[in-house]
Amino acid sequence: MTHPSAASRPVQAVVLAGGQGSRLRPYTDDRPKPMVEIPGTGTPIIGHQLSWLAEEGVTDVVVSCGHLAEVLQEWLETTDLPLSVTTVVETEPLGRGGGLRYAAAHLPHPDQPWYATNGDIWTRFSLRDMADFHTERGAVATLSLARPRLPWGAVQTDGFGHITDFIESPPSTFEINAGVYVFSPEFTGLLPERGDHERTTFPRLARERRLAGFPIPQGAYWRAIDTAKDLMEAAKELASQNR
């Protein structure tokens, strides 16, 4: 039986892969951030992303390139990929919102919804469930939300100032934007030609109650690869999963 929302689930996506990745040097001296390999997998971050998108029903992806674009383009051209990929390169810096709009203009189905993901996110959860959540709320845009673990140990105290417990790397009490999105077709036209949509479009949609937040299910894997430490942690977590 077909889910009532199945027809409105995206089959196209944008991957934002233009970042400098300065905090990942020296790994990013000769490659863009999404081309950094997860140790032990032999596959760059973007390879994991494209496999995940394909598993979730995506057939067409636009990759927005920037820093060392030719390295990423060559890998995409010479790798057997599970979906169709087009690359675009901004001829001038457009900002995050402008870059997203420019990439979205190259999607094959402008009248259909689409996913977007930041090129440094390594995650696994049901995009289909997120798309259904988006449809059920009548949202124009839906952000995935994560509760990352704090990099420090936390201290618990009672009402009298006595320390009662130590908690190693607890989850944050706040949810953060996890860098994976579902957008309705009209969202593209709301993006700025240049500038940052997270300061303009998102706040406007939030005021209008047309912006939704989908909590990544508890236990689902999610990590932003920002530093060498993140790479090592991802490799350790992967190894523990495969035992």
Side-chain angles (χ1 to χ4, degrees), residues 71-87:
V71 177
L72 178 51
Q73 288 171 320
E74 184 184 349
W75 182 83
L76 290 168
E77 286 164 12
T78 56
T79 303
D80 186 17
L81 300 171
L83 33 64
S84 175
V85 175
T86 304
T87 59

Side-chain angles (χ1 to χ4, degrees), residues 3 68 81-82 114 116 122 127 165 167 203 209 236:
H3 190 283
L68 297 173
L81 300 171
W114 47 291
W122 191 30
L127 281 176
D165 203 1
I167 306 162
R209 297 292 185 269
K236 272 198 296 191

Side-chain angles (χ1 to χ4, degrees), residues 16-79:
L16 298 170
Q20 292 277 343
S22 53
R23 288 196 292 162
L24 261 174
R25 287 190 177 129
Y27 296 99
T28 49
D29 285 345
D30 62 352
R31 68 194 63 196
K33 195 175 180 184
M35 279 301 298
V36 174
E37 289 185 6
I38 304 290
T41 70
T43 303
I45 298 166
I46 194 165
H48 292 282
Q49 286 192 327
L50 294 175
S51 295
W52 174 52
L53 289 168
E55 288 164 11
E56 292 294 325
V58 173
T59 57
D60 293 270
V61 171
V62 175
V63 177
S64 177
C65 308
H67 173 64
L68 297 173
E70 63 282 358
V71 177
L72 178 51
Q73 288 171 320
E74 184 184 349
W75 182 83
L76 290 168
E77 286 164 12
T78 56
T79 303

Side-chain angles (χ1 to χ4, degrees), residues 104-126:
H106 294 79
L107 288 167
H109 311 291
D111 58 339
Q112 294 179 20
W114 47 291
Y115 297 117
T117 180
N118 296 343
D120 59 355
I121 300 297
W122 191 30
T123 186
R124 281 288 187 280
F125 64 90
S126 173

